């Protein structure tokens, strides 16, 4: 309710500011008394028809969202070379793929868990697309295993490659232990199943550096949470063939973005 009220006030301020500017431009056409009457009529009308303020606030919010989306797409295009640099970053699919899907995710994110089976289906339906998985453990300050699961996953990738990594990645999500419920036992068990042996944890400094780079890239693009998806051509990305999608979305939305990036 507070957010709606703020939007109402913002819309009303814009309306009043525009009206004042218009009135100043019309000094030669309207007297002070006439301008006062016009303002009274407008105020009375708004009081009798408050739904107009709702419509104005909704339109303002829509415009702000569109502007933010355009800014994120522009940032993604500008960051395309960094997004395509997958050294040390888990990725599945052909190296010469024409289209890429990048996901910024957190193993403790509820919505990432919700999207995991969707991404599995998307990968099976698009074998010629490269899927890039960028760990962004934004909940690590709240739940330690958010970061631990990320660094273990990166080590699985480094030690055993794509096949073992995707088993680990999907295995963590298959536990359905999100929002603080993931345990160290979960991580060790899933890692062992993915690698075929008990994982011996190495120094994770390099993996932490990778996560820090992911964090900087996600913030540069403008993501405010996980999951965050970027669908774009591996080469020749522009505002028309690039999509930036935040949050949980239907499979069809991601597939449409992939189809658009192929054009």
């Amino acid at each position: 309710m507070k957010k709606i009220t703020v939007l109402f006030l913002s819309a009303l301020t814009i309306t009043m500011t525009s009206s004042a500017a218009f009135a100043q431009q019309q000094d030669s056409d309207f007297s002070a008394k006439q301008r006062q009457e016009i303002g009274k009529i407008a105020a009375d009308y708004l009081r009798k028809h408050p739904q107009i303020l709702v419509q104005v606030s909704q339109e303002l919010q829509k415009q702000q969202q569109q502007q933010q989306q355009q800014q994120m797409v522009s940032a993604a295009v500008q960051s395309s070379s960094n997004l395509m640099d997958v050294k040390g970053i888990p990725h599945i699919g052909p190296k010469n793929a024409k289209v890429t899907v990048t996901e910024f995710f957190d193993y403790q994110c509820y919505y990432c868990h919700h999207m995991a089976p969707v991404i599995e289906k998307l990968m099976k339906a698009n074998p010629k697309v490269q899927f890039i998985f960028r760990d962004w453990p934004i909940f690590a300050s709240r739940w330690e295993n958010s970061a631990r699961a990320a660094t273990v996953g990166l080590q699985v990738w480094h030690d055993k490659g794509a096949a073992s990594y995707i088993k680990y990645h999907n295995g963590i999500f298959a536990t359905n232990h999100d929002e603080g419920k993931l345990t160290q036992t979960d991580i060790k068990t899933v890692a062992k199943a993915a690698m075929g042996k008990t994982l011996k944890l190495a120094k994770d400094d390099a993996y932490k550096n990778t996560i820090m780079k992911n964090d900087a890239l996600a913030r540069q693009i403008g993501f405010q949470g996980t999951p965050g998806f970027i669908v774009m051509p591996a080469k020749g990305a522009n505002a028309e063939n690039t999509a930036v999608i935040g949050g949980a979305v239907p499979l069809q939305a991601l597939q449409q973005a992939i189809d658009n990036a192929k054009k």
Side-chain angles (χ1 to χ4, degrees), residues 41-241:
I41 292 171
D44 289 342
Y45 187 85
L46 289 174
R47 279 194 293 268
K48 294 177 181 179
H49 301 84
Q51 69 274 16
I52 291 178
L53 290 177
V54 177
Q55 294 170 358
V56 170
S57 70
Q58 290 174 341
E59 182 61 29
L60 176 62
Q61 186 177 32
K62 180 180 177 181
Q63 292 176 2
Q64 290 173 335
Q65 289 174 342
Q66 290 175 342
Q67 183 179 19
Q68 182 182 32
Q69 183 67 21
Q70 291 171 356
Q71 291 172 345
M72 292 178 72
V73 169
S74 177
V77 171
Q78 292 175 8
S79 303
S80 58
S81 60
N82 291 329
L83 288 166
M84 295 304 108
D85 181 3
V86 294
K87 183 179 180 181
I89 304 295
H91 54 280
I92 312 295
K95 293 182 179 180
N96 61 346
K98 294 182 178 180
V99 175
T100 65
V101 176
T102 298
E103 179 184 6
F104 288 87
F105 69 95
D106 184 325
Y107 284 119
Q108 284 295 266
C109 165
Y110 169 83
Y111 295 104
C112 295
H113 276 256
H114 177 78
M115 288 301 297
V118 175
I119 299 303
E120 285 191 68
K121 292 179 182 179
L122 193 70
M123 291 176 69
K124 290 179 181 179
N126 297 274
K128 294 183 179 181
V129 172
Q130 185 179 81
F131 289 79
I132 303 168
F133 298 95
R134 291 187 176 272
D135 292 272
W136 191 28
I138 57 176
F139 295 111
S141 61
R142 187 184 308 176
W143 301 306
E144 180 183 0
N145 287 327
S146 167
R148 185 182 295 274
T151 55
V152 169
L154 289 171
Q155 185 174 339
V156 171
W157 165 260
H158 180 269
D159 292 354
K160 297 289 287 185
S164 291
Y165 172 79
I166 200 64
K167 288 181 182 178
Y168 172 84
H169 180 81
N170 291 334
I172 291 293
F173 284 125
T175 65
N176 291 319
H177 290 174
D178 55 20
E179 297 190 333
K181 295 188 287 290
L182 187 69
T183 67
Q184 291 188 32
T185 299
D186 290 331
I187 297 171
K188 291 178 181 178
T189 301
V190 173
K192 183 177 181 179
M195 299 184 71
K197 63 179 182 179
T198 300
L199 176 68
K200 294 182 179 179
L201 290 176
K203 291 186 66 175
D204 60 2
D205 291 348
Y207 307 134
K208 289 180 179 178
N209 288 334
T210 297
I211 290 171
M212 289 175 63
K213 290 179 181 178
N214 288 344
D215 175 72
L217 188 55
R219 295 182 187 279
Q220 181 179 342
I221 292 166
F223 285 122
Q224 297 180 358
T226 53
F229 300 95
I230 301 173
V231 183
M232 67 194 318
K235 296 180 180 179
N238 56 51
E240 283 68 42
N241 57 24

